[in-house]
Amino acid sequence: MTIANFFNLYNHNFARVAVAIPEVRVADPAFNAGQSITLIREAAEAGAALVALPELGITAYSCEDLFHQQALLDAARTALAQVLQNTAALPIVAVVGVPLQIDGLLYNCAVVMSGGRIFGVVPKTFLPNYREFYELRQFTPGDYCRHAEIDLCGQRVPFGAQLLFRADEQPLLTFSVEICEDLWTPIPPSSYAALAGALVVVNLSASNITVGKDDWRRQLVANQSGRCIAGYLYCAAGYGESTTDLAWDGHGMIYENGSWVAETQRFQYRSHLVVGDIDLDRLAQDRMRTNMFSQSLHRQSEAISRFRTIGLPLALPRARALALARGHERFPYVPSDPATRDRRCQEVYDIQVQGLVKRLRSMNAHKVVIGVSGGLDSTQALIVCARAMDVMGLPRASILAYTMPGFATSARTLDQSRRLMQAVGCTAAEIDIRPSCMQMFKDIGHPFAEGKPVYDVTFENVQAGERTSHLFRLANRHDAPVVGTSDLSELALGWSTYGVGDHMAHYHVNASVPKTLIQYLIRYVARTGQLGAQASPVLLDVLDTIISPELVPASDAAAVQSTEAFIGPYELQDFHLYYTVRFGYLPTKVAFMAWSAWRDRTQGNWPDIPEAMRNEYDIAAIKKWLTVFLRRFFALSQYKRSALPNGPKVGSGGSLSPRSDWRAPSDGEAGAWLAEAEKIPEREG
């Protein structure tokens, strides 16, 4: 893969699609064709492979009984031929709405065209005839037609509602077409089309606007795209339709498996379009993983057997650099919208607290033991413990909290742990682990016992092990379980001391909460004052502290042992984790998405993002840290996850519990992933 090819979205199984809203004139096909041609050309110039235009856009939807005038129908065919001819050189598939007279009956149709050829015509199946709609007055339902092919613009073309269109060069780009009311039915035609293989659905709509209807449309499109595990393009009529009794807002949307991708600005007084990038891999992966999809396919085998698949010889623009138009969240575990983020934070706490409360009640335990380091993870776990005590009606003094300074504990984190325990109101104690560590060094013959500054992995893990050993013996003494602190990010990277280290606890409340989310959970509690005014300042101090295991002594503050300097920035590694585990993407695709999200520090995900998190990473840095992630995740750390203590699953991003989302061999190899990562360039072309 060349550098230019790497930075092209089509080479990572994205497909750029467009929804176009032309200005129309009622019963003026020549004008409408000209507007459609312009928009199709703009979509092609933007790199789109597929563009949808509104229902009956060649004539305008609101022609009413003019649809029964032969002059209009003949002009519509002439205009359709004009669109076909004038877009023949464009590397794009266009879906255009037009009325077609067949055997003396009139059908509301969508015409699929590319390269001067018509590849198929899809008629509208369900015709509304209620309130302001009376389409049965003019049109015939599509399934009334007995022809599988028709003659159109001098070509013999497939006709019918059960048509699938597949790009020869990219088989994942397989789409079906339905028209407006088809979506509003109990079982839309797209439900069957998705089971038959359509990863994308195109809906040509007119859909007049009434108050609140836009929200209803969004719900329909989001739900249908999620139910079908598909991309969904929805295109409604805009300015120029007759306003005798109705108004039109030009509402176009692109959704992907229930998620919003792009949307037009409504009530525009000109032709306009919106483009969006659909992740075909995401759809294919989710269908593969969701076994209910395959079961539905089996139960509807007769219905989907009627579908015909038509190949499209479409040349995708793969050679040039083409960056993503859609924005991928830098922090996929953290919602970008502040209000949504607050609700998410509250729900995460509720899940963690319920898990801990249930475990304590099952054990008939009225106390917990926890180690408090003054860092992020133990702070988050302590907050959960405090809320669990509140739910159970127990005093927070039932939290037996211990800070255990060692050879590298900084004055800052020791002060933060003391202040935090005091603010929470737990029973606080301090145990200096250095004497017991020195005894261990003597017992095993470590050079440090003789005063030699040897700071190897043994030196580090003796301290981690002593802390956990103390906590478990304290748990025995006080008949209280140890609440673990290790988080999802550390479990993914194997950044925990196995067995008697921080890997082990009686219950891990943070086990499926990544580091980036923990930072916002703590910030949420600090901002809302849920632990009291005394706690908020120390919580903010914890957030401003460098992430460090504090196991190797530092000569000064600047030399503090940095976790991220060794295993990579958590914000980037959490991005890699999400798309590797949740979707199983190739490392090259993960790197391309990370580059798209992180290459420009001025493009934050939300306005209140802290300045310290407004970072940027070039492709060389992304390749470096993704390689670290892949090696540690696939080859070095699974044995730890295979012995993971219990803990609640928090988010749809998944957990790494061997009993839940992630079942993998402890002795696997990382060669396939690392070989793929080698294809990532180290510079931008």
Side-chain angles (χ1 to χ4, degrees):
M1 183 182 295
T2 66
I3 291 177
N5 286 344
F6 178 86
F7 296 103
N8 182 290
L9 63 94
Y10 285 101
N11 296 317
H12 301 284
N13 289 341
F14 288 94
R16 178 158 296 171
V17 297
V19 172
I21 313 292
E23 177 187 349
V24 297
R25 292 178 183 171
V26 179
D28 190 349
F31 174 85
N32 299 337
Q35 296 295 304
S36 297
I37 291 166
T38 298
L39 288 175
I40 294 170
R41 183 173 291 115
E42 289 181 10
E45 291 172 353
L50 173 65
V51 58
L53 292 95
E55 176 184 12
L56 296 170
I58 291 295
T59 57
Y61 174 83
S62 51
C63 289
E64 303 186 50
D65 285 352
L66 297 182
F67 283 122
H68 285 168
Q69 294 292 311
Q70 195 63 46
L72 180 63
L73 298 179
D74 289 349
R77 286 199 175 222
T78 300
L80 181 66
Q82 180 185 353
V83 175
L84 187 65
Q85 178 182 354
N86 284 275
T87 61
L90 301 176
I92 192 169
V93 178
V95 187
V96 178
V98 65
L100 292 177
Q101 187 180 20
I102 303 170
D103 290 344
L105 300 178
L106 189 62
Y107 296 91
N108 180 344
C109 296
V111 177
V112 178
M113 62 175 67
S114 180
R117 290 178 55 190
I118 295 175
F119 288 90
V121 177
V122 179
K124 187 172 183 177
T125 301
F126 294 94
L127 303 180
N129 225 59
Y130 57 89
R131 299 193 186 99
E132 65 264 40
F133 305 109
Y134 45 91
E135 288 186 29
L136 280 173
R137 180 183 175 95
Q138 288 102 26
F139 295 100
T140 301
D143 51 2
Y144 282 24
C145 186
R146 293 171 294 176
H147 297 291
E149 293 182 333
I150 63 170
D151 293 314
L152 184 60
C153 297
Q155 303 178 30
R156 189 71 176 169
V157 300
F159 181 90
Q162 288 88 24
L163 298 181
L164 299 181
F165 303 91
R166 175 173 297 163
D168 294 341
E169 188 182 309
Q170 172 52 285
L172 290 178
L173 183 53
T174 300
F175 69 91
S176 66
V177 181
E178 60 188 8
I179 302 176
C180 199
E181 190 74 11
D182 292 345
L183 172 63
W184 302 64
T185 60
I187 306 178
S190 56
S191 297
Y192 298 106
L195 292 173
L199 270 187
V200 178
V201 178
V202 175
N203 186 311
L204 306 193
S205 177
S207 190
N208 64 295
I209 185 60
T210 54
V211 173
K213 192 175 183 181
D214 60 317
D215 285 336
W216 180 231
R217 291 191 199 115
R218 292 187 189 96
Q219 291 180 42
L220 281 173
V221 173
N223 288 335
Q224 186 64 2
S225 72
R227 186 177 295 109
C228 293
I229 314 181
Y232 202 105
L233 283 66
Y234 180 90
C235 184
Y239 178 68
E241 292 282 358
S242 174
T243 57
T244 301
D245 291 299
L246 305 173
W248 316 84
D249 61 339
H251 195 184
M253 293 173 281
I254 302 170
Y255 274 77
E256 174 189 284
N257 195 10
S259 300
W260 181 93
V261 174
E263 187 170 347
T264 60
Q265 185 175 350
R266 297 162 57 226
F267 295 107
Q268 294 292 294
Y269 290 85
R270 56 179 177 79
S271 296
H272 59 288
L273 62 79
V274 65
V275 300
D277 300 331
I278 291 179
D279 189 341
L280 301 174
D281 276 337
R282 178 194 178 190
L283 300 173
Q285 282 277 346
D286 277 348
R287 284 190 181 182
M288 179 179 66
R289 294 163 188 253
T290 307
N291 61 0
M292 300 310 295
F293 195 89
S294 62
Q295 293 180 48
S296 298
L297 189 155
H298 173 74
R299 287 168 172 79
Q300 299 296 332
S301 58
E302 182 179 351
I304 66 177
S305 67
R306 303 189 188 103
F307 278 84
R308 292 174 282 166
T309 301
I310 300 163
L312 300 172
L314 176 67
L316 300 174
R318 294 180 181 272
R320 63 187 174 97
L322 191 62
L324 287 171
R326 67 187 289 172
H328 279 96
E329 300 283 10
R330 291 182 173 188
F331 306 98
Y333 295 100
V334 185
S336 58
D337 175 66
T340 303
R341 187 165 65 248
D342 281 356
R343 290 194 300 271
R344 180 71 54 82
C345 287
Q346 185 62 48
E347 188 168 29
V348 169
Y349 275 119
D350 288 341
I351 292 170
Q352 289 183 282
V353 170
Q354 188 194 69
L356 181 57
V357 168
K358 172 61 177 177
R359 178 52 52 91
L360 294 177
R361 286 176 173 168
S362 297
M363 299 173 68
N364 195 29
H366 302 284
K367 298 178 181 179
V368 295
V369 170
I370 185 172
V372 179
S373 68
L376 288 170
D377 294 341
S378 64
T379 296
Q380 172 67 9
L382 183 59
I383 293 171
V384 173
C385 289
R387 295 185 57 170
M389 294 300 109
D390 296 344
V391 168
M392 296 177 70
L394 297 172
R396 290 184 180 176
S398 300
I399 304 170
L400 309 181
Y402 299 87
T403 186
M404 293 173 279
F407 298 103
T409 301
S410 67
R412 173 173 183 151
T413 56
L414 183 57
D415 175 66
Q416 287 170 182
S417 61
R418 291 167 176 166
R419 290 162 56 206
L420 184 60
M421 292 186 293
Q422 181 181 12
V424 169
C426 54
T427 300
E430 193 168 313
I431 300 175
D432 187 344
I433 64 167
R434 287 174 293 185
S436 58
C437 287
M438 287 300 296
Q439 183 61 51
M440 176 68 77
F441 291 141
K442 292 177 183 177
D443 292 342
I444 66 175
H446 191 275
F448 191 77
E450 300 174 0
K452 298 177 182 179
V454 177
Y455 305 130
D456 56 8
V457 67
T458 305
F459 178 83
E460 295 186 11
N461 285 346
V462 162
Q463 295 172 81
E466 280 300 313
R467 289 190 173 108
T468 303
S469 179
H470 276 76
L471 291 175
F472 270 90
R473 302 298 73 78
L474 288 163
N476 296 152
R477 176 171 171 75
H478 296 288
D479 193 24
V482 175
V483 175
T485 62
S486 188
D487 63 47
L488 183 69
S489 306
E490 292 183 345
L491 292 169
L493 292 158
W495 195 250
S496 58
T497 302
Y498 185 69
V500 294
D502 54 341
H503 166 268
M504 189 52 60
H506 290 113
Y507 198 71
H508 260 319
V509 293
N510 293 340
S512 66
V513 188
K515 192 78 75 176
T516 48
L517 180 54
I518 283 179
Q519 292 171 308
Y520 274 89
L521 289 165
I522 295 173
R523 195 176 302 278
Y524 168 70
V525 171
R527 179 169 53 80
T528 56
Q530 294 187 24
L531 285 184
Q534 187 181 3
S536 293
V538 66
L539 293 178
L540 295 176
D541 286 345
V542 170
L543 289 168
D544 289 336
T545 303
I546 187 172
I547 300 174
S548 171
E550 292 194 327
L551 296 173
V552 175
S555 56
D556 54 61
V560 171
Q561 186 182 17
S562 169
T563 297
E564 292 179 294
F566 186 79
I567 60 173
Y570 275 116
E571 58 192 8
L572 196 56
Q573 299 296 39
D574 280 358
F575 188 98
H576 297 153
L577 169 64
Y578 181 83
Y579 288 105
T580 299
V581 172
R582 174 65 178 82
F583 298 110
Y585 287 160
L586 288 171
T588 45
K589 179 163 185 167
V590 174
F592 175 70
M593 294 168 65
W595 172 79
S596 299
W598 288 96
R599 59 180 169 153
D600 186 352
R601 75 183 303 273
T602 64
Q603 301 299 314
N605 285 95
W606 47 80
D608 60 335
I609 181 173
E611 183 62 28
M613 298 179 74
R614 290 186 181 272
N615 298 317
E616 64 180 26
Y617 300 101
D618 60 18
I619 193 63
I622 290 168
K623 179 177 182 178
K624 171 186 174 181
W625 293 121
L626 177 57
T627 301
V628 169
F629 172 83
L630 295 171
R631 180 176 291 108
R632 295 186 67 89
F633 183 83
F634 286 106
L636 303 180
S637 306
Q638 182 57 40
Y639 74 96
K640 297 183 181 181
R641 296 188 291 267
S642 295
L644 188 66
N646 292 178
K649 178 181 175 179
V650 167
S652 60
S655 80
L656 294 176
S657 167
R659 300 166 298 276
S660 181
D661 286 11
W662 187 255
R663 298 167 180 83
S666 295
D667 49 4
E669 301 289 342
W673 290 268
L674 294 173
E676 186 69 21
E678 280 299 311
K679 300 176 184 177
I680 302 168
E682 297 185 357
R683 61 180 177 85
E684 299 175 22

